Amino acid sequence: MMLVSVASVLLLLATLFQLCLACGAPWGSLTMGGRYPGTLPSGLRIAALFQLVLLALAGLIIFIRAGLLLPEYLDWSRMAIWAVVVFMAISSILNLITPSKWERRIWAPVVLLLLTCSVLIARSA
């Protein structure tokens, strides 16, 4: 249950960050390799919304896998959680190799923790 709590808090922070980016927060230097300081261009603000949806879906899968929501999808979640693991692994790599020091310092640890939580949740029961 602790893993789910940690993952939930981290996913909430990440989704709120993406929502703020989509709404025009001037945090472009903290994402997309830091190429767009200030407010993101409109196309990337839409990409932030897409990222928000992916993060929310990852959270839903984690909750289902942990048996906290939609028990009728528990069998499905046994496979779907591995998609979350792959997503977090790719995100980890991208945040570790980015030219943005802020992404490496802030988001790489967050996503590595999410990767760890999702692997452990995937391997549980």
Side-chain angles (χ1 to χ4, degrees):
M1 194 58 134
M2 178 67 158
L3 291 172
V4 176
S5 298
V6 170
S8 298
V9 168
L10 294 174
L11 285 167
L12 179 61
L13 289 172
T15 55
L16 289 174
F17 176 74
Q18 295 298 329
L19 179 62
C20 289
L21 287 172
C23 291
W27 301 337
S29 60
L30 303 176
T31 188
M32 306 288 179
R35 285 177 291 195
Y36 303 97
T39 301
L40 294 176
S42 60
L44 292 178
R45 290 169 68 182
I46 292 168
L49 283 175
F50 182 70
Q51 180 79 354
L52 181 149
V53 170
L54 289 176
L55 291 166
L57 182 58
L60 178 63
I61 292 168
I62 286 170
F63 279 131
I64 293 170
R65 183 71 190 109
L68 299 173
L69 285 176
L70 305 171
E72 62 272 19
Y73 292 102
L74 186 59
D75 286 337
W76 170 81
S77 74
R78 286 186 176 91
M79 300 265 291
I81 191 67
W82 291 105
V84 173
V85 169
V86 169
F87 175 66
M88 293 304 167
I90 292 168
S91 296
S92 294
I93 292 166
L94 293 175
N95 279 288
L96 288 168
I97 66 170
T98 180
S100 168
K101 70 177 180 180
W102 295 111
E103 283 181 272
R104 288 190 311 272
R105 290 181 182 171
I106 297 170
W107 294 115
V110 168
V111 180
L112 285 168
L113 278 171
L114 283 167
L115 173 60
T116 302
C117 289
S118 61
V119 166
L120 293 172
I121 290 167
R123 295 188 66 197
S124 67

